[in-house]
Amino acid sequence: MHKRIIRKYYKFIFKKKDVAARLDNYLIDKLPKRYTRNIIQKIIILGNVYINKKQIKNKKHLLKSKDRIEIFTLYLNKKEAILKCERLNLSILYEDEYLLIINKQFNLVVHPGTRNQEGTLLNGIKYLLENKAETRIQLKKPYIANRIDKETSGLIMVATDEKIVQNLSKQFSLNWIKKKYIAVVNGIIKEEQINKISKIVISRKKGKSRKKVCFSTFKVIERLRDLTVLKCIISSGRTHQIRVHLKELGYTIFNEKKYSIDKIYYEKIASYKKKIISRIIQDSKFLALHAKSLELIHPIFLKYLQFTSIIPFEIYMLIKIMF
């Protein structure tokens, strides 16, 4: 990736009919699409935005009627890597020109990175959108609206526009989007339901960690031999929230590697079952956590949507063997 210098000048006058009054949101609406939210916020912080001849560095600055906004951009910017199209076998539960709901398989990376430029979920989604016979949507990249770890399977929302992502993010903050997971946990949980609330690290900068309060509910579905099947309901979607909360409660998800050394007690089951479980672990490298159901309001059509997905074969076999 190469660096390039961007030199541009833009001028706007804020009017009462303009919907977005916050500075960064207003500029997202007005500036060309190549200016992402991240770039716009950097332009503001660097002092390249003037309102009524006064320099403004606050991205949350509220605009007033007839405010004169001037943007001077002169900075080094890394040229974005082009997202490659790849044909992948994706399980699509819902699809329109604004939104896709996909049942992601485990062991599939969502976003391309330094080590994974190809073979990710986004590569497959871009191929799907750009090769549709009906629409042939041309995109720089699709937008992932909710987090799912590489090892986790289940429902994931994909938007074709940044404004759709903003709408879904707002629904998350208002707790309108409901997500439910199925987890197979090591050990027997005696309580029928456990509510967990704690602060989880959401970012680390310059040696300092930033935390937010998260709430999770765990309900027992079935108790197996040395394992418990749980329904997990989360009101937020912080990184590894379910995994972290279960660890704090003294439990770990089957085949968990990051937060514990996986431990399964095989004394009570037949030897052939032990071999099948060992084979599942070695071959699939999955985590026994699945995003099973999802409820939301469509950002454009404003209709209630509800989706349910089938658990992966590996989790089904694990439950059947340990029943």
Side-chain angles (χ1 to χ4, degrees), residues 42-102:
K42 284 180 181 177
I43 289 170
I44 297 169
I45 292 166
L46 287 170
N48 293 328
V49 177
Y50 289 78
I51 298 175
N52 303 326
K53 303 295 182 181
K54 183 181 177 182
Q55 189 181 54
I56 301 294
K57 292 186 177 182
N58 180 12
K59 65 184 181 182
K60 296 181 180 180
H61 177 86
L62 294 178
L63 298 168
K64 298 175 183 177
S65 181
K66 297 183 180 179
D67 273 350
R68 190 185 189 90
I69 304 115
E70 295 178 283
I71 302 103
F72 302 86
T73 66
L74 174 58
Y75 64 99
L76 287 173
N77 179 45
K78 287 184 179 179
K79 193 173 182 180
E80 290 186 8
I82 297 172
L83 181 65
K84 296 179 180 179
C85 293
E86 282 186 82
R87 188 169 188 172
L88 300 178
N89 185 21
L90 301 178
S91 175
I92 301 165
L93 274 66
Y94 177 87
E95 179 184 2
D96 62 36
E97 60 183 304
Y98 307 105
L99 182 69
L100 286 87
I101 306 296
I102 293 174

Side-chain angles (χ1 to χ4, degrees), residues 94 96 167 171 176 296-305:
Y94 177 87
D96 62 36
N167 180 287
Q171 288 192 49
W176 290 355
L296 69 146
I297 306 297
H298 194 287
I300 301 298
F301 305 136
L302 302 180
K303 64 179 181 179
Y304 171 76
L305 299 175

Side-chain angles (χ1 to χ4, degrees), residues 110 144-149 155-156 172 179 181 202 237-240:
V110 175
I144 300 295
N146 62 308
R147 300 183 185 95
I148 283 194
D149 302 328
L155 299 177
I156 191 165
F172 271 118
K179 296 185 296 180
Y181 290 73
I202 59 170
R238 308 303 172 198
T239 305
H240 300 168

Side-chain angles (χ1 to χ4, degrees), residues 14 77 131 258:
F14 183 75
N77 179 45
N131 289 275
K258 185 175 179 65

